[in-house]
Structure formats: C-alpha cells, structure tokens
Amino acid sequence: MEPRIDLLTNELGAKISKRIYNVALAIQQSPLPQATQDLVMLRASQINGCGFCVDYHTKDATAAGETAVRLHLVAAWRESTVFTEAERAALALTEEGTRIADAHHGVSDQTWAQVREHYDDDQVVALVSLIAMINANNRLNVIVRNPGGSYEPGMFAGMAD
C-alpha cells in the first residue's frame, strides 16, 4: 500500500506535522506516566485501525521498556490482569473518547470518576489532550493511507522546535 500523499514532504503538511509533533512533546513531558501514554496511544490506534500508529506506538513502548505481554493484551485489557487500576481507567476513557460517535452518551460519569480517582488535574489535562491528539493523528494517517511497518523509534525527533 502506498500513501496517497506524504504529509512530511508537502510544505504545508510538514508545517502542520511539526506543530502536531510539538503538542505531542508537551504531553509526553507532562506528569502523566509514560507507560500510560503508550498504552492509550496504542489502544486508540487499534480502535481506529491505524497501522502506522500501531507500529509507531508499539515500537516506542518497547524501546521504553514496556513488556510484550502488556502490549499484546492492550486490545483485551478488560480481560487481563496486567494493568493497574489507573491504567484501566485511562484505557476506559480512551475507548469512550475514541468512540464518541458510537455512544450517544460520550464519556460516562462512571469512567470520568474512575479517571479522577487516579489522576490529578495536570495528568487529566494531559490524558484528555493525548486522546484527542492520537485520534487526530490516526485520522490523518488512515485518510492518507500511511502504512505501518517502516517506523523506527526516534525517527521524528528532528521535528521538535
């Protein structure tokens, strides 16, 4: 599968991609645990069918020390014992925030209460922003058919301001 357009070689696409990357850096540098960030990005990417992002976030999480067992079980996190209660709350929010169009209620009060039980205000801001940004990235990559398989950890580091 070939991409429909390379967003990084198009002048406007490169400008937008750089800004998106810098938002991602701000979230990455937040107090939200990196492991939680990796799990959230992987789960949203799985739901959205974004091969490029599944490849990207699986490889980055592995490079950061995440275990294969946890990565393999993200898609079945409810039926798994390897995630903390805080991670489960983040994954529930990820699913509800990603599937807004599928659920007329949006994010449930129960899920929101679970998230607030485990995360402080800055972490919640980072988590909500992360879910919004990974969904935007998934949509960009799915629309242009950017395939998975070629990502190398750190390959976008030069995009930082």
Side-chain angles (χ1 to χ4, degrees):
M1 174 171 45
E2 289 293 318
R4 290 175 168 156
I5 190 169
D6 185 341
L7 295 174
L8 298 178
T9 59
N10 173 277
E11 185 178 343
L12 179 59
K15 186 184 281 188
I16 292 168
S17 295
K18 184 173 183 168
R19 283 165 178 77
I20 290 170
Y21 183 79
N22 281 290
V23 170
L25 279 180
I27 296 167
Q28 184 180 16
Q29 295 165 359
S30 77
L32 185 66
Q34 187 60 51
T36 301
Q37 292 183 42
D38 292 335
L39 297 172
V40 163
M41 291 185 288
L42 178 56
R43 185 64 189 126
S45 299
Q46 290 170 336
I47 293 167
N48 289 322
C50 183
F52 181 81
C53 291
V54 168
D55 183 39
Y56 184 145
H57 300 300
T58 301
K59 288 176 179 173
D60 272 1
T62 300
E66 187 57 78
T67 68
V69 170
R70 283 169 43 96
L71 293 175
H72 292 306
L73 290 173
V74 168
W77 65 269
R78 283 184 181 83
E79 292 80 29
S80 305
T81 60
V82 297
F83 303 105
T84 67
E85 289 303 313
E87 290 167 340
R88 290 175 172 286
L91 288 165
L93 184 66
T94 300
E95 289 189 359
E96 291 181 24
T98 298
R99 293 183 164 136
I100 289 174
D102 299 337
H104 63 280
H105 67 274
V107 172
S108 71
D109 291 338
Q110 178 184 0
T111 296
W112 188 255
Q114 290 170 343
V115 166
R116 293 303 296 174
E117 182 179 323
H118 296 284
Y119 299 102
D120 66 26
D121 287 353
D122 286 347
Q123 291 171 318
V124 169
V125 168
L127 180 58
V128 170
S129 299
L130 179 63
I131 293 166
M133 291 307 298
I134 191 59
N135 275 281
N137 282 317
N138 292 161
R139 282 152 178 76
L140 284 168
N141 284 296
V142 168
I143 290 167
V144 302
R145 291 190 178 158
N146 195 10
S150 63
Y151 177 75
E152 296 294 328
M155 70 186 265
F156 296 127
M159 293 179 71
D161 280 338

